[in-house]
Short mmCIF file of all heavy atoms in Angstrom, two decimals:
data_model
loop_
_atom_site.label_atom_id
_atom_site.label_comp_id
_atom_site.label_asym_id
_atom_site.label_seq_id
_atom_site.Cartn_x
_atom_site.Cartn_y
_atom_site.Cartn_z
N ILE M 5 8.01 14.93 65.55
CA ILE M 5 8.18 13.50 65.38
C ILE M 5 6.80 12.89 65.21
O ILE M 5 5.98 12.91 66.12
CB ILE M 5 8.90 12.87 66.59
CG1 ILE M 5 10.26 13.54 66.82
CG2 ILE M 5 9.07 11.36 66.38
CD1 ILE M 5 10.95 13.09 68.11
N SER M 6 6.52 12.37 64.01
CA SER M 6 5.24 11.73 63.71
C SER M 6 5.41 10.23 63.86
O SER M 6 6.26 9.63 63.18
CB SER M 6 4.82 12.09 62.28
OG SER M 6 3.66 11.38 61.89
N VAL M 7 4.63 9.62 64.75
CA VAL M 7 4.84 8.21 65.10
C VAL M 7 3.64 7.36 64.69
O VAL M 7 2.55 7.48 65.26
CB VAL M 7 5.11 8.06 66.61
CG1 VAL M 7 5.55 6.62 66.91
CG2 VAL M 7 6.15 9.05 67.10
N ASP M 8 3.86 6.52 63.69
CA ASP M 8 2.88 5.52 63.31
C ASP M 8 3.23 4.22 64.03
O ASP M 8 4.17 4.18 64.84
CB ASP M 8 2.86 5.35 61.79
CG ASP M 8 1.53 4.83 61.25
OD1 ASP M 8 0.66 4.44 62.06
OD2 ASP M 8 1.36 4.79 60.02
N MET M 9 2.51 3.14 63.75
CA MET M 9 2.69 1.93 64.55
C MET M 9 3.15 0.72 63.75
O MET M 9 3.94 -0.09 64.25
CB MET M 9 1.39 1.61 65.28
CG MET M 9 1.53 0.74 66.50
SD MET M 9 -0.04 0.71 67.42
CE MET M 9 0.48 -0.08 68.93
N GLU M 10 2.69 0.58 62.51
CA GLU M 10 2.98 -0.64 61.76
C GLU M 10 4.47 -0.85 61.51
O GLU M 10 4.93 -1.99 61.40
CB GLU M 10 2.23 -0.62 60.42
CG GLU M 10 0.73 -0.79 60.54
CD GLU M 10 -0.02 0.50 60.78
OE1 GLU M 10 0.64 1.55 60.94
OE2 GLU M 10 -1.26 0.48 60.79
N GLY M 11 5.23 0.23 61.44
CA GLY M 11 6.66 0.12 61.18
C GLY M 11 7.53 0.12 62.41
O GLY M 11 8.76 0.15 62.31
N VAL M 12 6.92 0.06 63.58
CA VAL M 12 7.68 0.04 64.84
C VAL M 12 8.46 -1.26 64.96
O VAL M 12 8.03 -2.32 64.48
CB VAL M 12 6.70 0.24 66.03
CG1 VAL M 12 7.31 -0.19 67.35
CG2 VAL M 12 6.26 1.70 66.09
N SER M 13 9.59 -1.22 65.62
CA SER M 13 10.43 -2.40 65.76
C SER M 13 9.68 -3.52 66.49
O SER M 13 9.04 -3.28 67.51
CB SER M 13 11.72 -2.06 66.53
OG SER M 13 11.43 -1.57 67.82
N ILE M 15 6.97 -5.15 65.58
CA ILE M 15 5.56 -5.31 65.23
C ILE M 15 5.42 -5.92 63.83
O ILE M 15 6.06 -5.46 62.88
CB ILE M 15 4.82 -3.97 65.31
CG1 ILE M 15 4.60 -3.60 66.78
CG2 ILE M 15 3.50 -4.00 64.55
CD1 ILE M 15 3.89 -2.30 67.01
N GLU M 20 -1.21 -6.55 67.09
CA GLU M 20 -0.33 -5.66 67.85
C GLU M 20 -0.63 -4.18 67.61
O GLU M 20 -0.07 -3.31 68.29
CB GLU M 20 1.12 -5.96 67.48
CG GLU M 20 1.53 -7.37 67.84
CD GLU M 20 2.79 -7.84 67.13
OE1 GLU M 20 3.00 -7.45 65.96
OE2 GLU M 20 3.53 -8.63 67.73
N THR M 21 -1.51 -3.88 66.64
CA THR M 21 -1.79 -2.49 66.29
C THR M 21 -3.25 -2.11 66.44
O THR M 21 -3.59 -0.94 66.30
CB THR M 21 -1.38 -2.22 64.83
OG1 THR M 21 -2.19 -3.00 63.95
CG2 THR M 21 0.09 -2.55 64.60
N GLY M 31 2.01 -3.67 71.69
CA GLY M 31 2.33 -2.78 70.58
C GLY M 31 2.49 -1.34 71.03
O GLY M 31 3.38 -0.63 70.56
N ARG M 32 1.65 -0.91 71.93
CA ARG M 32 1.74 0.47 72.45
C ARG M 32 3.07 0.69 73.17
O ARG M 32 3.69 1.76 73.05
CB ARG M 32 0.59 0.75 73.42
CG ARG M 32 -0.79 0.66 72.81
CD ARG M 32 -1.86 0.95 73.85
NE ARG M 32 -1.96 2.37 74.14
CZ ARG M 32 -2.70 2.88 75.13
NH1 ARG M 32 -3.38 2.07 75.93
NH2 ARG M 32 -2.76 4.18 75.30
N LEU M 34 5.92 -0.94 72.63
CA LEU M 34 6.98 -0.90 71.63
C LEU M 34 6.99 0.44 70.90
O LEU M 34 8.05 1.02 70.65
CB LEU M 34 6.79 -2.04 70.63
CG LEU M 34 7.02 -3.46 71.14
CD1 LEU M 34 6.53 -4.49 70.12
CD2 LEU M 34 8.50 -3.69 71.45
N MET M 35 5.82 0.94 70.57
CA MET M 35 5.69 2.22 69.88
C MET M 35 6.25 3.36 70.73
O MET M 35 7.00 4.22 70.24
CB MET M 35 4.21 2.47 69.56
CG MET M 35 3.90 3.75 68.83
SD MET M 35 2.08 3.93 68.68
CE MET M 35 1.95 5.40 67.67
N THR M 36 5.90 3.38 72.00
CA THR M 36 6.37 4.43 72.90
C THR M 36 7.88 4.37 73.07
O THR M 36 8.55 5.41 73.10
CB THR M 36 5.66 4.32 74.26
OG1 THR M 36 4.23 4.34 74.05
CG2 THR M 36 6.04 5.47 75.18
N ALA M 37 8.42 3.17 73.16
CA ALA M 37 9.86 3.03 73.33
C ALA M 37 10.63 3.51 72.10
O ALA M 37 11.68 4.17 72.23
CB ALA M 37 10.21 1.57 73.63
N ASP M 38 10.13 3.22 70.89
CA ASP M 38 10.78 3.73 69.68
C ASP M 38 10.71 5.26 69.64
O ASP M 38 11.69 5.93 69.27
CB ASP M 38 10.11 3.16 68.43
CG ASP M 38 10.66 1.78 68.04
OD1 ASP M 38 11.35 1.16 68.87
OD2 ASP M 38 10.37 1.33 66.91
N ALA M 39 9.56 5.81 70.01
CA ALA M 39 9.44 7.28 70.04
C ALA M 39 10.44 7.88 71.02
O ALA M 39 11.10 8.89 70.72
CB ALA M 39 8.01 7.67 70.42
N VAL M 57 5.66 15.59 69.61
CA VAL M 57 5.41 14.24 69.11
C VAL M 57 3.95 14.12 68.72
O VAL M 57 3.06 14.40 69.54
CB VAL M 57 5.76 13.18 70.18
CG1 VAL M 57 5.42 11.78 69.68
CG2 VAL M 57 7.22 13.26 70.57
N ALA M 58 3.69 13.71 67.48
CA ALA M 58 2.31 13.51 67.02
C ALA M 58 2.02 12.02 66.98
O ALA M 58 2.66 11.27 66.23
CB ALA M 58 2.13 14.11 65.62
N ASP M 59 1.08 11.58 67.82
CA ASP M 59 0.59 10.21 67.75
C ASP M 59 -0.17 10.09 66.44
O ASP M 59 -1.15 10.78 66.21
CB ASP M 59 -0.32 9.92 68.95
CG ASP M 59 -0.68 8.46 69.09
OD1 ASP M 59 -0.91 7.80 68.06
OD2 ASP M 59 -0.77 7.98 70.23
N ALA M 60 0.30 9.20 65.54
CA ALA M 60 -0.18 9.21 64.16
C ALA M 60 -0.72 7.86 63.70
O ALA M 60 -0.71 7.56 62.50
CB ALA M 60 0.94 9.67 63.23
N HIS M 61 -1.20 7.05 64.62
CA HIS M 61 -1.74 5.75 64.24
C HIS M 61 -3.21 5.63 64.64
O HIS M 61 -3.57 5.93 65.79
CB HIS M 61 -0.96 4.62 64.91
CG HIS M 61 -1.59 3.26 64.70
ND1 HIS M 61 -1.55 2.60 63.49
CD2 HIS M 61 -2.30 2.45 65.55
CE1 HIS M 61 -2.18 1.45 63.60
NE2 HIS M 61 -2.66 1.34 64.83
N GLY M 62 -4.04 5.20 63.71
CA GLY M 62 -5.42 4.84 64.02
C GLY M 62 -6.18 5.93 64.75
O GLY M 62 -6.51 6.98 64.20
N THR M 63 -6.46 5.67 66.01
CA THR M 63 -7.22 6.61 66.84
C THR M 63 -6.42 7.85 67.23
O THR M 63 -6.98 8.80 67.76
CB THR M 63 -7.66 5.92 68.14
OG1 THR M 63 -6.50 5.53 68.88
CG2 THR M 63 -8.52 4.70 67.85
N PHE M 64 -5.11 7.83 66.99
CA PHE M 64 -4.18 8.87 67.46
C PHE M 64 -4.16 8.93 68.99
O PHE M 64 -3.88 9.98 69.57
CB PHE M 64 -4.53 10.24 66.87
CG PHE M 64 -4.39 10.34 65.37
CD1 PHE M 64 -4.86 11.46 64.70
CD2 PHE M 64 -3.79 9.34 64.61
CE1 PHE M 64 -4.73 11.58 63.31
CE2 PHE M 64 -3.66 9.44 63.25
CZ PHE M 64 -4.13 10.56 62.58
N ARG M 65 -4.43 7.81 69.63
CA ARG M 65 -4.40 7.71 71.09
C ARG M 65 -3.72 6.41 71.50
O ARG M 65 -4.26 5.61 72.24
CB ARG M 65 -5.83 7.77 71.66
CG ARG M 65 -6.51 9.12 71.50
CD ARG M 65 -7.90 9.16 72.12
NE ARG M 65 -8.87 8.44 71.32
CZ ARG M 65 -9.41 7.28 71.63
NH1 ARG M 65 -9.07 6.67 72.75
NH2 ARG M 65 -10.31 6.70 70.84
N ASN M 66 -2.51 6.22 71.01
CA ASN M 66 -1.79 4.97 71.23
C ASN M 66 -0.59 5.11 72.15
O ASN M 66 -0.34 4.23 73.00
CB ASN M 66 -1.31 4.42 69.89
CG ASN M 66 -2.42 4.34 68.86
OD1 ASN M 66 -3.17 3.38 68.83
ND2 ASN M 66 -2.53 5.35 68.00
N LEU M 67 0.19 6.17 71.97
CA LEU M 67 1.39 6.35 72.78
C LEU M 67 1.02 6.45 74.26
O LEU M 67 0.03 7.11 74.62
CB LEU M 67 2.14 7.61 72.35
CG LEU M 67 2.85 7.51 70.99
CD1 LEU M 67 3.24 8.90 70.50
CD2 LEU M 67 4.07 6.61 71.09
N ARG M 84 -8.12 16.48 63.65
CA ARG M 84 -7.22 17.61 63.90
C ARG M 84 -6.58 18.04 62.58
O ARG M 84 -6.47 17.24 61.65
CB ARG M 84 -6.15 17.23 64.92
CG ARG M 84 -5.22 16.14 64.42
CD ARG M 84 -4.45 15.48 65.55
NE ARG M 84 -3.36 14.66 65.01
CZ ARG M 84 -2.70 13.76 65.72
NH1 ARG M 84 -3.02 13.53 66.99
NH2 ARG M 84 -1.70 13.08 65.19
N ASN M 87 -3.70 16.14 60.43
CA ASN M 87 -3.77 14.70 60.62
C ASN M 87 -2.51 14.12 61.27
O ASN M 87 -2.22 14.42 62.43
CB ASN M 87 -4.05 14.05 59.27
CG ASN M 87 -4.68 12.68 59.35
OD1 ASN M 87 -5.63 12.49 60.09
ND2 ASN M 87 -4.17 11.73 58.60
N MET M 88 -1.75 13.30 60.56
CA MET M 88 -0.56 12.66 61.11
C MET M 88 0.56 13.65 61.40
O MET M 88 1.52 13.33 62.10
CB MET M 88 -0.04 11.58 60.15
CG MET M 88 -0.99 10.41 59.96
SD MET M 88 -0.43 9.23 58.70
CE MET M 88 0.90 8.40 59.59
N LEU M 89 0.43 14.85 60.87
CA LEU M 89 1.47 15.88 61.04
C LEU M 89 1.02 17.01 61.95
O LEU M 89 1.60 18.09 61.92
CB LEU M 89 1.85 16.46 59.67
CG LEU M 89 2.41 15.49 58.65
CD1 LEU M 89 2.71 16.22 57.34
CD2 LEU M 89 3.67 14.80 59.17
N LEU M 100 10.45 14.09 61.57
CA LEU M 100 10.97 12.73 61.64
C LEU M 100 9.79 11.77 61.67
O LEU M 100 8.85 11.97 62.45
CB LEU M 100 11.85 12.52 62.88
CG LEU M 100 13.10 13.41 62.99
CD1 LEU M 100 12.78 14.73 63.69
CD2 LEU M 100 14.20 12.69 63.76
N PHE M 101 9.81 10.76 60.80
CA PHE M 101 8.73 9.78 60.70
C PHE M 101 9.18 8.48 61.34
O PHE M 101 10.15 7.86 60.88
CB PHE M 101 8.36 9.53 59.24
CG PHE M 101 7.74 10.70 58.52
CD1 PHE M 101 7.51 10.64 57.15
CD2 PHE M 101 7.35 11.86 59.19
CE1 PHE M 101 6.91 11.69 56.46
CE2 PHE M 101 6.77 12.93 58.52
CZ PHE M 101 6.55 12.85 57.16
N VAL M 102 8.48 8.04 62.35
CA VAL M 102 8.85 6.84 63.11
C VAL M 102 7.76 5.79 62.97
O VAL M 102 6.57 6.10 63.10
CB VAL M 102 9.07 7.19 64.60
CG1 VAL M 102 9.44 5.94 65.41
CG2 VAL M 102 10.15 8.25 64.75
N GLY M 103 8.14 4.54 62.70
CA GLY M 103 7.18 3.46 62.63
C GLY M 103 6.28 3.51 61.40
O GLY M 103 5.17 3.00 61.43
N TYR M 104 6.75 4.08 60.30
CA TYR M 104 5.95 4.20 59.08
C TYR M 104 6.00 2.91 58.26
O TYR M 104 6.86 2.04 58.48
CB TYR M 104 6.44 5.38 58.25
CG TYR M 104 5.75 6.69 58.58
CD1 TYR M 104 5.75 7.21 59.88
CD2 TYR M 104 5.10 7.42 57.60
CE1 TYR M 104 5.12 8.40 60.18
CE2 TYR M 104 4.46 8.63 57.88
CZ TYR M 104 4.48 9.11 59.18
OH TYR M 104 3.84 10.30 59.48
N HIS M 105 5.09 2.78 57.30
CA HIS M 105 4.95 1.58 56.50
C HIS M 105 4.84 1.93 55.03
O HIS M 105 4.51 3.06 54.66
CB HIS M 105 3.70 0.80 56.93
CG HIS M 105 2.47 1.64 56.94
ND1 HIS M 105 1.74 1.92 55.80
CD2 HIS M 105 1.86 2.31 57.95
CE1 HIS M 105 0.73 2.71 56.12
NE2 HIS M 105 0.78 2.97 57.41
N VAL M 106 5.08 0.93 54.18
CA VAL M 106 5.02 1.12 52.74
C VAL M 106 3.57 1.31 52.29
O VAL M 106 2.63 0.94 53.00
CB VAL M 106 5.69 -0.09 52.04
CG1 VAL M 106 4.80 -1.32 52.10
CG2 VAL M 106 6.09 0.24 50.61
N ARG M 107 3.39 1.86 51.10
CA ARG M 107 2.06 2.18 50.60
C ARG M 107 1.31 0.93 50.15
O ARG M 107 1.90 -0.12 49.90
CB ARG M 107 2.14 3.19 49.46
CG ARG M 107 2.77 2.70 48.18
CD ARG M 107 2.91 3.84 47.17
NE ARG M 107 3.41 3.40 45.88
CZ ARG M 107 4.69 3.32 45.58
NH1 ARG M 107 5.62 3.66 46.47
NH2 ARG M 107 5.07 2.93 44.37
N VAL M 114 5.42 -4.96 55.63
CA VAL M 114 4.65 -5.29 56.83
C VAL M 114 3.45 -4.35 56.95
O VAL M 114 3.61 -3.13 56.98
CB VAL M 114 5.54 -5.20 58.09
CG1 VAL M 114 4.71 -5.42 59.35
CG2 VAL M 114 6.66 -6.23 58.02
N LEU M 115 2.25 -4.94 56.98
CA LEU M 115 1.01 -4.20 57.19
C LEU M 115 0.87 -3.03 56.21
O LEU M 115 0.42 -1.94 56.57
CB LEU M 115 0.91 -3.73 58.65
CG LEU M 115 0.95 -4.87 59.68
CD1 LEU M 115 1.00 -4.31 61.09
CD2 LEU M 115 -0.24 -5.80 59.51
N ALA M 116 1.24 -3.27 54.95
CA ALA M 116 1.20 -2.23 53.93
C ALA M 116 -0.23 -1.75 53.68
O ALA M 116 -1.14 -2.56 53.54
CB ALA M 116 1.80 -2.75 52.63
N HIS M 117 -0.41 -0.44 53.62
CA HIS M 117 -1.70 0.15 53.28
C HIS M 117 -1.50 1.64 53.08
O HIS M 117 -0.42 2.17 53.34
CB HIS M 117 -2.75 -0.11 54.37
CG HIS M 117 -2.46 0.57 55.66
ND1 HIS M 117 -1.58 0.07 56.60
CD2 HIS M 117 -2.92 1.73 56.19
CE1 HIS M 117 -1.51 0.88 57.64
NE2 HIS M 117 -2.32 1.91 57.41
N THR M 118 -2.53 2.31 52.62
CA THR M 118 -2.53 3.77 52.52
C THR M 118 -3.76 4.29 53.24
O THR M 118 -4.88 4.16 52.75
CB THR M 118 -2.53 4.23 51.06
OG1 THR M 118 -1.34 3.76 50.41
CG2 THR M 118 -2.56 5.75 50.96
N MET M 119 -3.54 4.80 54.43
CA MET M 119 -4.57 5.41 55.29
C MET M 119 -5.56 4.39 55.83
O MET M 119 -5.75 4.29 57.04
CB MET M 119 -5.30 6.55 54.57
CG MET M 119 -4.38 7.70 54.23
SD MET M 119 -5.27 9.10 53.57
CE MET M 119 -3.92 10.24 53.29
N ASN M 120 -6.23 3.66 54.96
CA ASN M 120 -7.12 2.60 55.42
C ASN M 120 -7.31 1.60 54.28
O ASN M 120 -6.82 1.81 53.18
CB ASN M 120 -8.47 3.16 55.90
CG ASN M 120 -9.16 4.00 54.84
OD1 ASN M 120 -9.33 3.57 53.71
ND2 ASN M 120 -9.56 5.22 55.21
N GLY M 134 1.99 6.93 49.07
CA GLY M 134 1.34 6.42 50.27
C GLY M 134 1.45 7.44 51.37
O GLY M 134 1.69 8.63 51.14
N GLU M 135 1.31 6.99 52.58
CA GLU M 135 1.38 7.92 53.72
C GLU M 135 2.75 8.59 53.81
O GLU M 135 2.86 9.76 54.19
CB GLU M 135 1.04 7.18 55.01
CG GLU M 135 -0.41 6.76 55.07
CD GLU M 135 -0.71 5.80 56.21
OE1 GLU M 135 -0.12 5.93 57.29
OE2 GLU M 135 -1.55 4.89 56.01
N ILE M 136 3.80 7.85 53.45
CA ILE M 136 5.14 8.43 53.48
C ILE M 136 5.22 9.62 52.54
O ILE M 136 5.60 10.74 52.94
CB ILE M 136 6.19 7.38 53.11
CG1 ILE M 136 6.27 6.28 54.18
CG2 ILE M 136 7.57 8.04 52.93
CD1 ILE M 136 7.12 5.09 53.79
N ASN M 139 2.64 12.63 53.35
CA ASN M 139 3.03 13.44 54.50
C ASN M 139 4.34 14.18 54.25
O ASN M 139 4.49 15.34 54.67
CB ASN M 139 3.14 12.56 55.75
CG ASN M 139 1.79 12.10 56.25
OD1 ASN M 139 0.78 12.78 56.08
ND2 ASN M 139 1.75 10.94 56.85
N LEU M 153 13.33 8.50 58.65
CA LEU M 153 12.19 7.59 58.66
C LEU M 153 12.65 6.24 59.17
O LEU M 153 13.72 5.75 58.79
CB LEU M 153 11.61 7.42 57.25
CG LEU M 153 10.43 6.43 57.19
CD1 LEU M 153 9.29 6.99 56.34
CD2 LEU M 153 10.88 5.07 56.64
N SER M 154 11.83 5.63 60.03
CA SER M 154 12.07 4.26 60.45
C SER M 154 10.88 3.40 60.07
O SER M 154 9.74 3.87 60.02
CB SER M 154 12.32 4.17 61.96
OG SER M 154 11.13 4.38 62.69
N GLY M 155 11.15 2.14 59.78
CA GLY M 155 10.12 1.18 59.40
C GLY M 155 10.79 -0.07 58.86
O GLY M 155 11.97 -0.32 59.15
N ALA M 159 9.61 0.31 53.49
CA ALA M 159 9.27 1.70 53.82
C ALA M 159 10.49 2.59 53.67
O ALA M 159 10.39 3.72 53.17
CB ALA M 159 8.71 1.78 55.23
N VAL M 175 14.23 -1.25 60.74
CA VAL M 175 14.23 -2.00 61.99
C VAL M 175 13.76 -3.44 61.80
O VAL M 175 13.78 -4.23 62.74
CB VAL M 175 13.36 -1.30 63.06
CG1 VAL M 175 13.94 0.07 63.40
CG2 VAL M 175 11.91 -1.18 62.61
N LYS M 176 13.33 -3.77 60.56
CA LYS M 176 12.94 -5.13 60.24
C LYS M 176 12.97 -5.32 58.73
O LYS M 176 12.84 -4.36 57.97
CB LYS M 176 11.54 -5.45 60.79
CG LYS M 176 10.45 -4.47 60.42
CD LYS M 176 9.25 -4.60 61.34
CE LYS M 176 8.24 -3.49 61.09
NZ LYS M 176 7.22 -3.42 62.14
N LEU M 196 18.01 3.85 66.32
CA LEU M 196 17.13 5.00 66.15
C LEU M 196 17.72 6.24 66.83
O LEU M 196 17.67 7.34 66.28
CB LEU M 196 15.75 4.68 66.73
CG LEU M 196 14.87 3.75 65.90
CD1 LEU M 196 13.66 3.31 66.70
CD2 LEU M 196 14.43 4.43 64.60
#
Side-chain angles (χ1 to χ4, degrees):
I5 303 173
S6 174
V7 189
D8 205 352
M9 202 169 190
E10 289 86 355
V12 162
S13 60
I15 285 180
E20 298 162 326
T21 65
R32 298 179 76 189
L34 291 169
M35 181 185 185
T36 305
D38 275 14
V57 177
D59 190 322
H61 173 73
T63 62
F64 295 171
R65 292 182 285 108
N66 309 276
L67 289 165
R84 65 197 193 194
N87 203 47
M88 295 175 74
L89 300 179
L100 299 88
F101 293 172
V102 179
Y104 270 56
H105 53 81
V106 75
R107 67 185 185 272
V114 175
L115 301 174
H117 66 279
T118 298
M119 297 187 180
N120 56 52
E135 292 169 36
I136 293 171
N139 289 330
L153 178 136
S154 72
V175 297
K176 52 198 172 192
L196 285 169

